Amino acid sequence: MKKLSHIYKSLEDADRRGDLIPYLLSLGRSIRRQECGPMLCDLHNSGKISLVSDGNLDAVKALDHNDFWSVIHLLDQAIPELDCSYRDILRLVNTLVIKAGSSGAAGMPNMSLVKWCKANPEKAKIIVQEAKSLDKLCLSYCVFAIQGLGSIELAFELVGHSNKVVVAVGLRSLGRLEMDSEAIAKRVIDECCEAIAFRKDQDVKFSAIETAFKTWEKLGPTEPYRQKEFLEAIINAKDGDELVQLSAALFHHSKGLVTESVDQILEALAGEVSNPQATLHCLDHALHSKSKSWDLTRVIDVLAVQIPKLENSIGPSQLYNFCQWIWEDPDNAAQLFSNWLAIGQFDLCKFLADMVGEGGKKNTIVEISKANLPNDLNDQIFMARKCVGFLWFHEVTAASILLSIVKNGKKSAREKAEELLYDPLLLSYSGNLRSFLEEQVKNPSKRISDCIQRLIKSHDTYLAGLKQTEHLVEFFPTIEQRRATAMKDRERNKDIQKEA
């Protein structure tokens, strides 16, 4: 108890000197974590210090990154029970949020503001009224004030405002509130549909999209009220930014989407979007907890369209969840490799090669069934050539795909695949490739086993021919060449001796 009294007095003295924030940094971590937040609140409410003074807020702004994250938790803990004006609490929260930047923890002060507004409803109502009057600071935090008040009607009042900025705030506020009934939830969806159909301001539309998806999550996937209509309106508008937001919805709000809606979004994402990088990022995150009802073909199509549009190339590690999905089922890998090799686009084929070599993978087998193989003869031959070109450093994988063509392809394609297996693959590699092919002699497919026997026989003949040339005089250097080399060696030795 004596120790706590000492800290109280030290905090009061530090604030009087204008050194409150530096003093907080000097305290031990365990003390800062467990006790200082409530202490700061008590001292502020008793008038002994001021957490919202210009000096303290400026000191917070001046902190470097590590020091800021050492004290933000203390100030955040003090917010919910702080006794101050609505303007001061907003200044404090705004300082912390801006300083935190894009970090995920930047939302902590906002949630503490919600608690403060719940404890101070009259002051929270003033924030809402000031937002209606277009006060910039109040507009920025009005959604949290309404969330603290829990007032659905206040949010609807903002949606009916004449100013588009206030309307956007109102729509976002609706997305943060609990829905007392299905009727209220449907009323919110109706407002979002109207905003998409008749509002031209992009911020209003973004707010409507965010709120609609949050509301569908609350309703559950069994009640996709006006979902198809809503998505069609967005997709038909062909706004690339709004389509990117749909990709984010797949990740953040997938629980509120029915299968048909997921298909709608994926089909739209295989078109023009404003930010392919963000689209792929959101899609891959969504695949982390993907539903088994997701259509792999549609996902592959999205990546096939967006990967070539990226300014910088993308690797398997950046689409980790997608790659995991591909490798967990041989049919998935067969579909992807067949599809992208047949397309032949450089970035897609390079991605496949990187997938095979990722994490030190070796001798990955990709068996492509007849159903996954292109029907057209020229496509099969094209695929065989692309396979050798892009999987050159993964010869066993390339051979497994070529053998799939030998087994399931058309006659001319089978012949071409066998030709490529021998030249250049088997003539360039032996080792693992030869061992893999020898294992395939017993393959149940007669086409494959016969092909392997022919290849091994030809390769043995080739190797025997090489051995016969080992002692050919024609392959030895001539006397003139040997003499020239000896003279160069003598000159080099003289130079070395001089330097020594």
Side-chain angles (χ1 to χ4, degrees):
M1 195 68 184
K2 184 177 180 181
K3 182 180 179 182
L4 290 178
S5 300
H6 172 71
I7 296 176
Y8 269 100
K9 184 68 168 61
S10 298
L11 288 169
E12 185 179 344
D13 292 342
D15 187 65
R16 190 178 300 112
R17 296 192 307 270
D19 294 330
L20 177 61
I21 303 303
Y23 179 73
L24 290 176
L25 287 170
S26 70
L27 293 172
R29 181 179 298 179
S30 60
I31 297 176
R32 291 203 306 262
R33 183 177 298 169
Q34 297 175 11
E35 301 161 350
C36 272
M39 286 185 189
L40 291 172
C41 184
D42 290 343
L43 287 169
H44 176 94
N45 292 346
S46 62
K48 294 179 180 178
I49 68 171
S50 175
L51 290 178
V52 296
S53 67
D54 290 340
N56 283 331
L57 294 184
D58 289 341
V60 171
K61 294 175 186 177
L63 291 172
D64 64 27
H65 179 80
N66 291 335
D67 287 345
F68 172 72
W69 288 108
S70 296
V71 300
I72 183 176
H73 298 282
L74 310 181
L75 300 173
D76 180 63
Q77 289 170 5
I79 289 173
E81 298 181 18
L82 218 55
D83 182 10
C84 60
S85 69
Y86 79 92
R87 179 67 60 178
D88 283 339
I89 199 73
L90 292 185
R91 289 175 61 235
L92 174 58
V93 170
N94 188 56
T95 299
L96 297 178
V97 169
I98 291 176
K99 184 68 178 179
S102 59
S103 168
M108 292 191 310
N110 291 332
M111 294 302 98
S112 296
L113 175 60
V114 171
K115 297 175 183 177
W116 185 89
C117 289
K118 187 174 183 179
N120 299 272
E122 296 306 316
K123 294 177 181 178
K125 288 177 182 177
I126 297 175
I127 295 175
V128 178
Q129 291 302 318
E130 290 298 307
K132 290 180 181 179
S133 301
L134 306 183
D135 180 272
K136 187 175 180 181
L137 187 59
C138 291
L139 274 171
S140 298
Y141 296 94
C142 182
V143 292
F144 306 109
I146 291 180
Q147 186 178 355
L149 291 168
S151 174
I152 197 85
E153 291 307 321
L154 271 179
F156 277 120
E157 284 181 23
L158 296 182
V159 173
H161 199 276
S162 59
N163 186 277
K164 60 188 179 184
V165 177
V166 180
V167 173
V169 169
L171 287 168
R172 289 199 297 275
S173 300
L174 288 172
R176 288 183 165 272
L177 296 173
E178 296 297 326
M179 302 297 167
D180 295 333
S181 67
E182 185 178 304
I184 293 292
K186 289 183 176 181
R187 183 182 169 192
V188 172
I189 295 294
D190 289 337
E191 289 289 354
C192 294
C193 288
E194 185 174 342
I196 291 297
F198 301 109
R199 299 278 187 174
K200 295 182 179 180
D201 181 71
Q202 195 168 59
D203 189 33
V204 172
K205 288 188 173 184
F206 282 179
S207 300
I209 294 171
E210 177 185 339
T211 295
F213 280 108
K214 286 182 177 179
T215 307
W216 281 316
E217 267 194 320
K218 293 167 188 174
L219 282 171
T222 57
E223 184 57 65
Y225 177 67
R226 299 187 71 178
Q227 197 170 97
K228 181 178 181 181
E229 170 193 346
F230 185 83
L231 292 175
E232 283 179 350
I234 296 171
I235 293 168
N236 291 338
K238 299 185 184 301
D239 185 305
D241 290 336
E242 291 173 11
L243 292 180
V244 174
Q245 197 174 6
L246 290 186
S247 70
L250 285 175
F251 170 48
H252 292 291
H253 310 295
S254 60
K255 292 181 181 179
L257 292 169
V258 295
T259 300
E260 292 77 8
S261 297
V262 173
D263 288 344
Q264 265 185 286
I265 295 174
L266 291 175
E267 186 176 350
L269 296 181
E272 290 297 325
V273 299
S274 60
N275 191 333
Q277 184 78 39
T279 301
L280 294 176
H281 176 78
C282 292
L283 181 56
D284 189 63
H285 275 66
L287 292 174
H288 175 67
S289 57
K290 67 180 186 307
S291 166
K292 293 300 181 183
S293 62
W294 276 42
D295 188 335
L296 176 62
T297 301
R298 293 183 186 276
V299 175
I300 289 175
D301 288 344
V302 174
L303 269 66
V305 170
Q306 302 306 335
I307 286 178
K309 295 179 182 177
L310 297 174
E311 291 184 6
N312 301 311
S313 61
I314 193 168
S317 61
Q318 295 164 281
L319 295 176
Y320 175 80
N321 296 311
F322 171 73
C323 293
Q324 289 292 103
W325 190 16
I326 292 300
W327 290 129
E328 73 183 22
D329 187 333
D331 285 340
N332 293 350
Q335 183 177 344
L336 177 69
F337 277 74
S338 178
N339 187 304
W340 285 6
L341 286 172
I343 292 173
Q345 205 280 336
F346 178 86
D347 295 296
L348 301 181
C349 293
K350 182 179 181 300
F351 187 91
L352 295 179
D354 292 341
M355 277 184 67
V356 174
E358 184 189 23
K361 287 190 180 77
K362 291 183 179 179
N363 303 336
T364 303
I365 307 300
V366 178
E367 296 181 357
I368 302 175
S369 65
K370 188 172 184 178
N372 284 320
L373 207 62
N375 289 322
D376 185 77
L377 168 64
N378 291 328
D379 287 343
Q380 292 179 5
I381 294 175
F382 179 78
M383 175 181 163
R385 288 171 172 160
K386 286 290 179 180
C387 162
V388 173
F390 280 93
L391 298 175
W392 180 251
F393 294 107
H394 308 285
E395 69 279 10
V396 173
T397 305
S400 68
I401 295 174
L402 290 174
L403 287 178
S404 298
I405 298 175
V406 168
K407 178 181 178 181
N408 301 308
K410 296 183 183 295
K411 186 174 185 300
S412 297
R414 297 200 302 267
E415 293 171 352
K416 186 63 181 178
E418 183 173 337
E419 177 187 325
L420 291 170
L421 274 166
Y422 181 68
D423 184 8
L425 282 184
L426 201 49
L427 293 184
S428 301
Y429 293 96
S430 53
N432 290 332
L433 177 59
R434 175 69 186 240
S435 299
F436 168 71
L437 293 177
E438 288 174 346
E439 291 171 2
Q440 298 301 312
V441 171
K442 298 179 181 179
N443 193 292
S445 168
K446 191 172 186 308
R447 286 180 178 175
I448 290 180
S449 61
D450 289 348
C451 169
I452 298 301
Q453 290 176 31
R454 290 191 295 270
L455 289 172
I456 290 177
K457 182 179 180 180
S458 298
H459 193 231
D460 287 342
T461 302
Y462 171 76
L463 293 177
L466 286 181
K467 288 183 179 179
Q468 292 177 1
T469 65
E470 289 179 355
H471 304 293
L472 286 177
V473 176
E474 287 80 2
F475 285 152
F476 293 137
T478 64
I479 295 176
E480 289 76 12
Q481 290 172 331
R482 295 178 186 180
R483 184 180 294 116
T485 301
M487 291 175 67
K488 288 180 180 179
D489 286 342
R490 282 197 296 272
E491 292 298 325
R492 186 165 57 248
N493 289 334
K494 287 181 181 179
D495 292 338
I496 292 173
Q497 290 174 359
K498 287 181 180 179
E499 291 177 5

